[in-house]
Amino acid sequence: MLKDKRILITGSAGSIGSELYRQLAPHNTVYGLDINETGLFDLHEEYRLKGHKVFYRIGSVRDLETVRDVMDEFKPEVVFHAAALKHVTPNEAYPSEAIETNAMGAYNVISQAKKHGVEKLVYISTDKAINSYSVMGVTKKLGELIARNAGYIAVRFGNN
């Protein structure tokens, strides 16, 4: 269990990111980054009112300046990169969106983490990256490679 760390969670209003936020906020200083204003604000307020050290920024991992600003301001020791477009069908319909978020967004977060001396980064991937035949699977697989090549780790989550 992580304790007394400064932890950045991208995609913190999403299903995986919000669960990480809930589990890590009681024992750490947590900073959430997400484009979902309502989801992130509600999550932040819930834990702020409980007295936890939580911060947030509305913004996209697609925006290098936003990611750089968050790293400069918060100086995370650990990053969980959970921000993603995660549904296969919309990724197939709008492949440029998947590339911008899942691949370039991952590159932005990982490259800035490296530049800012982040100790640990966990890239949240998907079982669809295995033998990828979908845009979503391929873009998440690319994120895995970027993370591993930077010396960080990738984990795959699966669903039915």
Side-chain angles (χ1 to χ4, degrees):
M1 173 59 128
L2 293 172
K3 194 167 188 166
D4 300 321
K5 297 286 186 184
R6 286 185 318 279
I7 301 171
L8 168 63
I9 303 169
T10 68
S12 52
S15 54
I16 294 169
S18 63
E19 187 57 33
L20 287 166
Y21 196 102
R22 285 183 179 93
Q23 290 188 28
L24 295 168
H27 305 288
N28 301 279
T29 302
V30 174
Y31 194 113
L33 173 65
D34 205 295
I35 59 172
N36 179 344
E37 176 190 7
T38 300
L40 185 54
F41 176 75
D42 290 347
L43 187 65
H44 171 264
E45 285 299 289
E46 177 184 346
Y47 284 85
R48 183 187 67 80
L49 292 172
K50 291 178 180 178
H52 299 299
K53 294 182 277 185
V54 291
F55 304 91
Y56 72 101
R57 165 86 182 257
I58 306 301
S60 176
V61 297
R62 294 165 65 155
D63 183 347
L64 180 60
E65 290 298 316
T66 296
V67 174
R68 185 179 297 128
D69 289 349
V70 167
M71 296 283 184
D72 285 342
E73 177 184 327
F74 186 60
K75 298 176 181 30
E77 297 168 282
V78 178
V79 173
F80 287 90
H81 179 56
L85 297 180
K86 66 178 188 172
H87 297 288
V88 172
T89 303
N91 280 258
E92 294 296 320
Y94 305 101
S96 64
E97 298 296 323
I99 292 165
E100 286 295 318
T101 300
N102 295 351
M104 292 307 300
Y107 174 77
N108 290 342
V109 171
I110 294 162
S111 67
Q112 288 302 304
K114 205 67 176 163
K115 285 181 182 173
H116 286 80
V118 171
E119 299 168 10
K120 296 177 183 174
L121 181 141
V122 178
Y123 175 82
I124 308 297
S125 189
T126 174
D127 59 348
K128 297 183 183 52
I130 302 166
N131 299 321
S132 312
Y133 296 101
S134 67
V135 170
M136 195 270 276
V138 169
T139 57
K140 292 298 284 181
K141 176 72 173 182
L142 183 54
E144 289 180 7
L145 294 171
I146 294 167
R148 283 198 212 104
N149 287 341
Y152 296 123
I153 65 167
V155 297
R156 291 179 176 160
F157 285 45
N159 60 22
N160 296 326

